[in-house]
Amino acid sequence: MIPGIWLVGIAGSASAAPCIPGGYGTGPDAFVVIGATAPTPAVGQRYLFLDGRRGGTDDPGAPVRCVDGVATYRDADGQVRRWTRMATRETDSSFASAATRLTGQLIEPAGPADPRRPLVVLVHGSERTMAVAAIYGHMLAAQGISVFAYSKRGTGGSEGEYTQNFELLADDAAAALNHARRLAAGRFGRAGFFGGSQGGWVAPLAATRTPVDFVAVGFGLVVSPIEEDRAQLLDEARDAQLNAGAVAQVEHLSRVTAQLMRTHFAQGFEELEQVRRAIGDAPWAKRIKGEYSGDMLRMRDEDLRRIGRARFDNLEIIWDYDAEAVLRSLKAPLLWVLAQDDREAPIDATRVVLARLRAEGRPVDAYLFPQTDHGMVEYRTNADGSRTATRITDGYLKLLGDWIKGRVRGRYGQGMVLGGAH
């Protein structure tokens, strides 16, 4: 396929609402990213500022509107700014990985070629959809970074079957970076990966399959998927203030469901039935979740035997994946950013591993943002204990951009450097 290339965002050009997704502003510190249609309950198009404010352009009180190619922004002092789209060079293309055609888009800041500009490939999390012009891509491009975003196999315009097999996904990411290097030849310097969430398992593994200058990870884990489930269960037990006996039962539940996962539902049914009988009608058994253990606990034995593997083990996940071993094989600098209150990916074990790697002298930069949950989002706690995300925490997006550019300096919101800086 011959790549399609065009320049987008020339000042004065008109477009019908909605606005074309991209960065709108005057420079790397004065812009807003306008995305696709905002998810409910937000209305209008998604917007995202560098400081993490986000929402829908038609939300009541939204600080920005975007109509006919112009973003109108009212700042905290009441000053009104009218921003046009920042010009970008966007190249649609496709590439092959494991005999599968995948599609993607290279987004580059417009202007003269800059052989020092970083090039980053965005590596997927576990989501089934990710537009090639994802809002994260334009957020980094507006900070002066070239970005290649691709549709995961089995999603968007990419062929193949959706999977969460880290080995195959790492091959895809490595192929994406090799392809992006060819597309941007002569127009970049440093090149590497950024992965969020599940991408924290995939991006470092991909970096062992093609030369890279950096790997950045946000809200990912350096433990196996089985250990992630256990950590979530124990976090929930602590939040529910369960007694020692109940916590021991939660631990036992984790060990038994791990056996089912490791054996791909060949062993562990009898043991889980014993756990069910031991727990009985304990109130916490109706609420405990983890990644999968809570659902298994509440399924009838006959149903779990009949459909358990199709329900829980149908995506080729490597349940005992050794994430620490992969990090030990890396030579490139690594950025790892943690959300302190992450319920989906509890950080305690990951923090210990990162500290151990740093103590050994490996090039690991680790940051922790307090009062944030998965996705680096700040939140409010509801009466029932659930959380509602409000915004991406201030400092995270700028830290990500600056670190990729090799220009980290000063403080980034409430972010804390763990163990000092390399």
Side-chain angles (χ1 to χ4, degrees), residues 293-311:
S293 288
D295 287 337
M296 287 187 188
L297 173 67
R298 289 183 288 272
M299 285 184 72
R300 297 186 307 168
D301 178 69
E302 55 266 38
D303 291 337
L304 192 64
R305 289 175 183 269
R306 180 171 55 87
I307 62 172
R309 185 169 185 185
R311 166 69 174 82

PDB file of all heavy atoms in Angstrom, residues 293-311:
ATOM      1  N   SER A 293     -11.084 -13.688  39.737  1.00  0.00           N
ATOM      2  CA  SER A 293     -11.368 -14.639  40.814  1.00  0.00           C
ATOM      3  C   SER A 293     -12.756 -14.484  41.407  1.00  0.00           C
ATOM      4  O   SER A 293     -13.418 -15.476  41.731  1.00  0.00           O
ATOM      5  CB  SER A 293     -10.314 -14.500  41.925  1.00  0.00           C
ATOM      6  OG  SER A 293      -9.075 -15.023  41.502  1.00  0.00           O
ATOM      7  N   GLY A 294     -13.227 -13.257  41.566  1.00  0.00           N
ATOM      8  CA  GLY A 294     -14.554 -13.043  42.125  1.00  0.00           C
ATOM      9  C   GLY A 294     -15.643 -13.649  41.263  1.00  0.00           C
ATOM     10  O   GLY A 294     -16.575 -14.291  41.764  1.00  0.00           O
ATOM     11  N   ASP A 295     -15.524 -13.459  39.956  1.00  0.00           N
ATOM     12  CA  ASP A 295     -16.524 -14.034  39.047  1.00  0.00           C
ATOM     13  C   ASP A 295     -16.487 -15.556  39.093  1.00  0.00           C
ATOM     14  O   ASP A 295     -17.537 -16.218  39.054  1.00  0.00           O
ATOM     15  CB  ASP A 295     -16.275 -13.546  37.619  1.00  0.00           C
ATOM     16  CG  ASP A 295     -16.664 -12.085  37.434  1.00  0.00           C
ATOM     17  OD1 ASP A 295     -17.487 -11.588  38.225  1.00  0.00           O
ATOM     18  OD2 ASP A 295     -16.151 -11.453  36.506  1.00  0.00           O
ATOM     19  N   MET A 296     -15.281 -16.137  39.160  1.00  0.00           N
ATOM     20  CA  MET A 296     -15.181 -17.602  39.238  1.00  0.00           C
ATOM     21  C   MET A 296     -15.808 -18.124  40.527  1.00  0.00           C
ATOM     22  O   MET A 296     -16.494 -19.148  40.524  1.00  0.00           O
ATOM     23  CB  MET A 296     -13.719 -18.031  39.180  1.00  0.00           C
ATOM     24  CG  MET A 296     -13.075 -17.890  37.831  1.00  0.00           C
ATOM     25  SD  MET A 296     -11.430 -18.635  37.878  1.00  0.00           S
ATOM     26  CE  MET A 296     -10.801 -18.122  36.294  1.00  0.00           C
ATOM     27  N   LEU A 297     -15.564 -17.414  41.618  1.00  0.00           N
ATOM     28  CA  LEU A 297     -16.118 -17.820  42.902  1.00  0.00           C
ATOM     29  C   LEU A 297     -17.634 -17.899  42.846  1.00  0.00           C
ATOM     30  O   LEU A 297     -18.247 -18.813  43.408  1.00  0.00           O
ATOM     31  CB  LEU A 297     -15.673 -16.837  43.986  1.00  0.00           C
ATOM     32  CG  LEU A 297     -16.280 -17.000  45.379  1.00  0.00           C
ATOM     33  CD1 LEU A 297     -15.802 -18.317  46.005  1.00  0.00           C
ATOM     34  CD2 LEU A 297     -15.919 -15.807  46.264  1.00  0.00           C
ATOM     35  N   ARG A 298     -18.255 -16.971  42.152  1.00  0.00           N
ATOM     36  CA  ARG A 298     -19.717 -16.874  42.144  1.00  0.00           C
ATOM     37  C   ARG A 298     -20.374 -17.723  41.051  1.00  0.00           C
ATOM     38  O   ARG A 298     -21.596 -17.785  40.989  1.00  0.00           O
ATOM     39  CB  ARG A 298     -20.117 -15.407  42.015  1.00  0.00           C
ATOM     40  CG  ARG A 298     -19.826 -14.604  43.282  1.00  0.00           C
ATOM     41  CD  ARG A 298     -20.287 -13.164  43.166  1.00  0.00           C
ATOM     42  NE  ARG A 298     -19.443 -12.392  42.271  1.00  0.00           N
ATOM     43  CZ  ARG A 298     -18.345 -11.744  42.639  1.00  0.00           C
ATOM     44  NH1 ARG A 298     -17.928 -11.798  43.900  1.00  0.00           N
ATOM     45  NH2 ARG A 298     -17.639 -11.047  41.764  1.00  0.00           N
ATOM     46  N   MET A 299     -19.577 -18.356  40.190  1.00  0.00           N
ATOM     47  CA  MET A 299     -20.147 -19.242  39.177  1.00  0.00           C
ATOM     48  C   MET A 299     -20.389 -20.629  39.757  1.00  0.00           C
ATOM     49  O   MET A 299     -19.623 -21.091  40.607  1.00  0.00           O
ATOM     50  CB  MET A 299     -19.207 -19.357  37.968  1.00  0.00           C
ATOM     51  CG  MET A 299     -19.204 -18.131  37.079  1.00  0.00           C
ATOM     52  SD  MET A 299     -18.164 -18.357  35.606  1.00  0.00           S
ATOM     53  CE  MET A 299     -19.168 -19.502  34.658  1.00  0.00           C
ATOM     54  N   ARG A 300     -21.413 -21.270  39.297  1.00  0.00           N
ATOM     55  CA  ARG A 300     -21.649 -22.666  39.693  1.00  0.00           C
ATOM     56  C   ARG A 300     -20.575 -23.550  39.080  1.00  0.00           C
ATOM     57  O   ARG A 300     -20.066 -23.269  37.983  1.00  0.00           O
ATOM     58  CB  ARG A 300     -23.026 -23.123  39.233  1.00  0.00           C
ATOM     59  CG  ARG A 300     -24.195 -22.374  39.842  1.00  0.00           C
ATOM     60  CD  ARG A 300     -25.506 -23.013  39.436  1.00  0.00           C
ATOM     61  NE  ARG A 300     -25.608 -23.149  37.975  1.00  0.00           N
ATOM     62  CZ  ARG A 300     -26.528 -23.879  37.359  1.00  0.00           C
ATOM     63  NH1 ARG A 300     -27.414 -24.557  38.076  1.00  0.00           N
ATOM     64  NH2 ARG A 300     -26.556 -23.941  36.043  1.00  0.00           N
ATOM     65  N   ASP A 301     -20.232 -24.625  39.776  1.00  0.00           N
ATOM     66  CA  ASP A 301     -19.183 -25.518  39.307  1.00  0.00           C
ATOM     67  C   ASP A 301     -19.486 -26.036  37.906  1.00  0.00           C
ATOM     68  O   ASP A 301     -18.611 -26.039  37.029  1.00  0.00           O
ATOM     69  CB  ASP A 301     -19.014 -26.684  40.284  1.00  0.00           C
ATOM     70  CG  ASP A 301     -17.954 -27.670  39.809  1.00  0.00           C
ATOM     71  OD1 ASP A 301     -16.769 -27.315  39.799  1.00  0.00           O
ATOM     72  OD2 ASP A 301     -18.338 -28.794  39.425  1.00  0.00           O
ATOM     73  N   GLU A 302     -20.725 -26.468  37.670  1.00  0.00           N
ATOM     74  CA  GLU A 302     -21.055 -27.027  36.366  1.00  0.00           C
ATOM     75  C   GLU A 302     -20.936 -25.990  35.249  1.00  0.00           C
ATOM     76  O   GLU A 302     -20.541 -26.305  34.116  1.00  0.00           O
ATOM     77  CB  GLU A 302     -22.456 -27.648  36.356  1.00  0.00           C
ATOM     78  CG  GLU A 302     -23.576 -26.716  36.806  1.00  0.00           C
ATOM     79  CD  GLU A 302     -23.882 -26.855  38.293  1.00  0.00           C
ATOM     80  OE1 GLU A 302     -22.935 -27.036  39.098  1.00  0.00           O
ATOM     81  OE2 GLU A 302     -25.081 -26.771  38.635  1.00  0.00           O
ATOM     82  N   ASP A 303     -21.250 -24.732  35.568  1.00  0.00           N
ATOM     83  CA  ASP A 303     -21.115 -23.679  34.561  1.00  0.00           C
ATOM     84  C   ASP A 303     -19.647 -23.357  34.287  1.00  0.00           C
ATOM     85  O   ASP A 303     -19.260 -23.138  33.134  1.00  0.00           O
ATOM     86  CB  ASP A 303     -21.847 -22.415  35.021  1.00  0.00           C
ATOM     87  CG  ASP A 303     -23.350 -22.591  35.025  1.00  0.00           C
ATOM     88  OD1 ASP A 303     -23.849 -23.474  34.288  1.00  0.00           O
ATOM     89  OD2 ASP A 303     -24.031 -21.867  35.774  1.00  0.00           O
ATOM     90  N   LEU A 304     -18.852 -23.334  35.356  1.00  0.00           N
ATOM     91  CA  LEU A 304     -17.436 -23.035  35.171  1.00  0.00           C
ATOM     92  C   LEU A 304     -16.763 -24.130  34.332  1.00  0.00           C
ATOM     93  O   LEU A 304     -15.925 -23.838  33.472  1.00  0.00           O
ATOM     94  CB  LEU A 304     -16.738 -22.900  36.522  1.00  0.00           C
ATOM     95  CG  LEU A 304     -15.319 -22.308  36.476  1.00  0.00           C
ATOM     96  CD1 LEU A 304     -15.341 -20.876  35.979  1.00  0.00           C
ATOM     97  CD2 LEU A 304     -14.662 -22.373  37.847  1.00  0.00           C
ATOM     98  N   ARG A 305     -17.125 -25.372  34.578  1.00  0.00           N
ATOM     99  CA  ARG A 305     -16.548 -26.465  33.790  1.00  0.00           C
ATOM    100  C   ARG A 305     -16.977 -26.368  32.324  1.00  0.00           C
ATOM    101  O   ARG A 305     -16.208 -26.705  31.416  1.00  0.00           O
ATOM    102  CB  ARG A 305     -16.985 -27.814  34.359  1.00  0.00           C
ATOM    103  CG  ARG A 305     -16.354 -28.162  35.708  1.00  0.00           C
ATOM    104  CD  ARG A 305     -16.934 -29.449  36.262  1.00  0.00           C
ATOM    105  NE  ARG A 305     -16.403 -29.765  37.587  1.00  0.00           N
ATOM    106  CZ  ARG A 305     -15.317 -30.507  37.814  1.00  0.00           C
ATOM    107  NH1 ARG A 305     -14.624 -30.995  36.788  1.00  0.00           N
ATOM    108  NH2 ARG A 305     -14.920 -30.756  39.050  1.00  0.00           N
ATOM    109  N   ARG A 306     -18.190 -25.914  32.103  1.00  0.00           N
ATOM    110  CA  ARG A 306     -18.738 -25.887  30.742  1.00  0.00           C
ATOM    111  C   ARG A 306     -18.219 -24.700  29.933  1.00  0.00           C
ATOM    112  O   ARG A 306     -17.838 -24.854  28.763  1.00  0.00           O
ATOM    113  CB  ARG A 306     -20.273 -25.857  30.830  1.00  0.00           C
ATOM    114  CG  ARG A 306     -21.004 -25.819  29.504  1.00  0.00           C
ATOM    115  CD  ARG A 306     -22.501 -26.008  29.710  1.00  0.00           C
ATOM    116  NE  ARG A 306     -23.045 -25.045  30.655  1.00  0.00           N
ATOM    117  CZ  ARG A 306     -23.472 -23.829  30.321  1.00  0.00           C
ATOM    118  NH1 ARG A 306     -23.436 -23.435  29.042  1.00  0.00           N
ATOM    119  NH2 ARG A 306     -23.961 -23.002  31.234  1.00  0.00           N
ATOM    120  N   ILE A 307     -18.165 -23.513  30.546  1.00  0.00           N
ATOM    121  CA  ILE A 307     -17.834 -22.310  29.763  1.00  0.00           C
ATOM    122  C   ILE A 307     -16.690 -21.499  30.371  1.00  0.00           C
ATOM    123  O   ILE A 307     -16.366 -20.424  29.884  1.00  0.00           O
ATOM    124  CB  ILE A 307     -19.065 -21.390  29.614  1.00  0.00           C
ATOM    125  CG1 ILE A 307     -19.545 -20.902  31.002  1.00  0.00           C
ATOM    126  CG2 ILE A 307     -20.178 -22.092  28.853  1.00  0.00           C
ATOM    127  CD1 ILE A 307     -20.624 -19.841  30.924  1.00  0.00           C
ATOM    128  N   GLY A 308     -16.069 -22.013  31.438  1.00  0.00           N
ATOM    129  CA  GLY A 308     -15.044 -21.235  32.119  1.00  0.00           C
ATOM    130  C   GLY A 308     -13.898 -20.811  31.220  1.00  0.00           C
ATOM    131  O   GLY A 308     -13.492 -19.637  31.214  1.00  0.00           O
ATOM    132  N   ARG A 309     -13.359 -21.752  30.446  1.00  0.00           N
ATOM    133  CA  ARG A 309     -12.221 -21.379  29.610  1.00  0.00           C
ATOM    134  C   ARG A 309     -12.636 -20.378  28.536  1.00  0.00           C
ATOM    135  O   ARG A 309     -11.901 -19.424  28.252  1.00  0.00           O
ATOM    136  CB  ARG A 309     -11.604 -22.617  28.958  1.00  0.00           C
ATOM    137  CG  ARG A 309     -10.342 -22.260  28.190  1.00  0.00           C
ATOM    138  CD  ARG A 309      -9.546 -23.454  27.738  1.00  0.00           C
ATOM    139  NE  ARG A 309      -8.308 -22.997  27.114  1.00  0.00           N
ATOM    140  CZ  ARG A 309      -7.438 -23.792  26.529  1.00  0.00           C
ATOM    141  NH1 ARG A 309      -7.651 -25.107  26.496  1.00  0.00           N
ATOM    142  NH2 ARG A 309      -6.347 -23.300  25.977  1.00  0.00           N
ATOM    143  N   ALA A 310     -13.802 -20.564  27.947  1.00  0.00           N
ATOM    144  CA  ALA A 310     -14.273 -19.604  26.942  1.00  0.00           C
ATOM    145  C   ALA A 310     -14.496 -18.225  27.545  1.00  0.00           C
ATOM    146  O   ALA A 310     -14.294 -17.205  26.884  1.00  0.00           O
ATOM    147  CB  ALA A 310     -15.558 -20.117  26.309  1.00  0.00           C
ATOM    148  N   ARG A 311     -14.885 -18.201  28.813  1.00  0.00           N
ATOM    149  CA  ARG A 311     -15.173 -16.918  29.477  1.00  0.00           C
ATOM    150  C   ARG A 311     -13.908 -16.219  29.958  1.00  0.00           C
ATOM    151  O   ARG A 311     -13.778 -15.004  29.823  1.00  0.00           O
ATOM    152  CB  ARG A 311     -16.117 -17.200  30.657  1.00  0.00           C
ATOM    153  CG  ARG A 311     -16.268 -16.078  31.672  1.00  0.00           C
ATOM    154  CD  ARG A 311     -17.013 -14.886  31.124  1.00  0.00           C
ATOM    155  NE  ARG A 311     -17.242 -13.915  32.168  1.00  0.00           N
ATOM    156  CZ  ARG A 311     -16.347 -13.021  32.575  1.00  0.00           C
ATOM    157  NH1 ARG A 311     -15.142 -12.988  32.033  1.00  0.00           N
ATOM    158  NH2 ARG A 311     -16.642 -12.163  33.542  1.00  0.00           N
TER     159      ARG A 311
END
